[in-house]
Amino acid sequence: MKTHTRWGLVLLIQVVVLGAIAALGICLGSTRVPLRAVLAAMGGHASEIDQSIILGIRIPRVALAFAVGGGLSLAGVLLQGMFRNPLVEPFTLGISGGAALGLCACVAFGVGSGLGALAFPAAGFVGAMATAVLVYGLGTRRGMLNIRDVVLVGVMVSFVCSSLVMLVMALARAEDLYGIVFWTMGSLEEPRRGLLAVALGVSVVALAAAYRLAVPLNALALGEDGAAHLGIDVERTKRLLFVLSALLTGVCVSVAGIIGFVGLVVPHVARLLVGRDHRILLVSAFLCGAGFLMLCDLVARTIVAPLELPIGVVTGIAGGTLFVYMLHRRQSPEGRL
Amino acid sequence: MLELENVSCGYAGGFALDGISLGIKPGELVGIVGPNGSGKTTLLRAASRSLRPRSGTVRIHGEDIWHQRPALLARTLAVVSQTADIVPMTVAEYVLLGRIPHYGHFQFLETHADWDIARRAMEMTECLPFKDHLMTAISGGERQLALIARALAQEPKLLLLDEPTSYLDIAHQVRLLDLIRRLNRELTLTVVMVMHDLNAASEYCERLVLMSHGQVRAVGEPDEVMDYQVLEEVYETVLVVGRNSISGRPCVFPVSEDVQKRRQSRHAASK
């Protein structure tokens, strides 16, 4: 019972911190907007410039960081729990490689260019899903998803995809190259309304769906046999986890490009904060991921303003150093990681 | 309670269980013994729904275990296996996992009742003193106790154990097996355990099942099964069967090759 109170408290703190980060993200930028103006804009009576900055640029951008950061981090927790391997992340399974390849095909060969501005995300999503299906198929034997095979196949598919991406880049025209490189570094800039809605919807619905799997995930910590002995339908759970995380990753990658590290590092940070019980970890990791990406995005667009750093660069540097620091500071070798 | 009817199981290339039939009555304490690779653990895996038989049926309470809902089965049957992964969670958290089969469909948090049952399971197994320690930071003996506490938290009718005393010194073996027998009597818990140690099995079990090459070679009370001719044939080594002078149960001693040779030469000389 004490634990549940502690969980409630942790969530409350996280929500407050997240709110503060969101407020900062909306107020700060190339032009500063006071918080009062933000509230006014949301009520619909601010100056036209403020209105367009806040509602048209800042809020969508912060909302996208929320959806993508939360989504990637959640996918990471689900996969690490399912594989019982702390080094697995959404991109280990080759999903980002597939998205990149889909995008390359779109840029270099003009596949699906009829879709206009939606061509990039659509191509990324199709590529991501195609590799997910491929990895899932190759990792399944006699109707059972073999955890070890899936990781190995995922890593190999990743390699093949990145080689093919390099091949396409080597053959591509110079002006196409820029688009590919820029996209692979990830960006939260100017999301289209429709895409933003999809990303938000998918990550929030996925969080709710994932929560239904929190107890089975806890049981899976005992291994597949151990979970089965606790009455968990292990094959069904693995299938759902795979589909859920592939969908999350696919959507995040196709909307915001390849933003590495969130799905790998944030789940570990969340685990250090709240422990490894998935009933709190799932929500906590989602909120941590959302906050982390909002913060990274804020840094990316303010630190060398008016220029912007690619968001993937910031998450990589910040996430990597933060993680090594936390790991180093952790006292007991038996820690809860 | 537990019935195996003509069960055959196999891994790639060959049978590990070859048409086994066996019945366990409610309240029994049964030991499964036999040499390495004789199919003891496979038998346990087949009985616990970890391995689907190629043919034959496994029934608990008269119902095929493959036709039962997994969560319902886990309320009747608990398994303590040596292959379960140990992760850094506290003993209390670990024992609470045993309540999962009793959770409702949309239940995410354990109730006071769940806590009470887990606490009682830890009390019976004497886990309370180290309940806040991490599973990865306790001794092998304590870990076995925690595994059994988790199984008890499931409130099962049938407990299957896979070599519960391996890695334990003799004092801890006695403590653990005493506990298992106490649970067997006080909770009328049916217990089936795979054991390597013939003497411990003979000391504690009412009935022994001796396996050999995927088949049941002998079933019965320790006095019937622990026959030196049967054991020598199954284990393919020279053995001496004696008797524990206090409990009166049969026990078995190995004979080394050197001694066997010396004995043979002395025999030859005396002739």
Side-chain angles (χ1 to χ4, degrees), chain A residues 29-31 299-309:
Chain A
S30 47
T31 51
V299 171
R301 63 193 156 89
T302 50
I303 200 162
V304 288
L307 289 176
E308 262 190 38
L309 291 177

Side-chain angles (χ1 to χ4, degrees), chain A residues 1 4 7 84 211-212 215 218-219 221-223 225 229-232 276 279 334-336, chain B residues 45 48 50 70-71 74 79 85 90 94 101 103 105-106 108-110 112 115 134 136 154:
Chain A
M1 295 304 116
H4 299 166
W7 290 355
R84 279 168 288 134
Y211 204 78
R212 290 276 284 140
V215 172
N218 282 348
L222 308 184
D225 274 355
H229 291 151
L230 289 175
I232 303 297
R276 44 169 67 233
R279 292 172 296 178
E334 295 292 346
R336 285 168 159 262
Chain B
R45 284 172 59 79
S48 62
S50 295
V79 184
D85 290 8
T90 69
Y94 176 76
Y103 280 13
H105 219 55
F106 277 91
F108 297 108
L109 302 178
E110 56 273 350
H112 278 292
W115 262 107
L134 291 183
T136 42
Q154 290 176 241

Side-chain angles (χ1 to χ4, degrees), chain B residues 134-154:
Chain B
L134 291 183
M135 285 293 287
T136 42
I138 57 180
S139 72
E142 291 171 334
R143 192 173 300 165
Q144 278 311 322
L145 293 177
L147 293 183
I148 293 176
R150 192 266 303 144
L152 289 182
Q154 290 176 241

Side-chain angles (χ1 to χ4, degrees), chain A residues 88-291:
Chain A
V88 173
E89 60 154 335
F91 299 167
T92 318
L93 297 186
I95 297 173
S96 64
L101 189 58
L103 181 100
C104 281
C106 171
V107 174
F109 307 120
V111 182
S113 49
L115 290 168
L118 282 178
F120 274 26
F125 188 73
V126 168
M129 288 302 110
T131 36
V133 169
L134 181 70
V135 170
Y136 186 95
L138 291 173
T140 308
R141 283 217 193 127
R142 274 186 263 118
M144 307 225 282
L145 194 60
N146 185 319
I147 293 295
R148 210 186 42 201
D149 284 7
V150 169
V151 175
L152 288 175
V153 169
V155 171
M156 290 309 132
V157 167
S158 239
F159 274 123
V160 173
C161 282
S162 63
S163 301
L164 288 176
V165 166
M166 281 198 274
L167 178 68
V168 174
M169 284 167 82
L171 299 177
R173 289 166 303 172
E175 63 264 35
D176 290 343
L177 216 52
Y178 177 75
I180 296 174
V181 170
F182 190 75
W183 187 83
T184 36
M185 288 190 296
S187 167
L188 298 167
E189 230 172 315
E190 290 171 38
R192 319 200 124 248
R193 280 295 151 93
L195 290 178
L196 174 60
V198 169
L200 268 175
V202 167
S203 19
V204 172
V205 170
L207 177 62
Y211 204 78
R212 290 276 284 140
L213 297 171
V215 172
L217 271 169
N218 282 348
L220 267 178
L222 308 184
E224 293 191 17
D225 274 355
H229 291 151
L230 289 175
I232 303 297
D233 188 339
V234 174
E235 286 309 315
R236 182 170 161 271
T237 305
K238 285 192 294 186
R239 267 200 302 275
L240 288 175
L241 284 171
F242 189 94
V243 170
L244 212 51
S245 35
L247 197 65
L248 268 173
T249 315
V251 167
C252 290
V253 168
S254 47
V255 174
I258 296 177
I259 299 178
F261 253 77
V262 180
L264 177 62
V265 167
V266 176
H268 288 287
V269 175
R271 227 169 274 139
L272 286 172
L273 284 177
V274 301
R276 44 169 67 233
D277 193 321
H278 286 88
R279 292 172 296 178
I280 178 74
L281 183 59
L282 291 180
V283 184
S284 185
F286 186 95
L287 295 178
C288 281

Side-chain angles (χ1 to χ4, degrees), chain B residues 257-268:
Chain B
E257 195 186 33
D258 285 358
V259 176
Q260 285 176 39
K261 275 187 190 148
R262 233 181 294 149
R263 195 144 175 263
Q264 271 162 9
S265 57
R266 222 181 298 148
H267 255 302

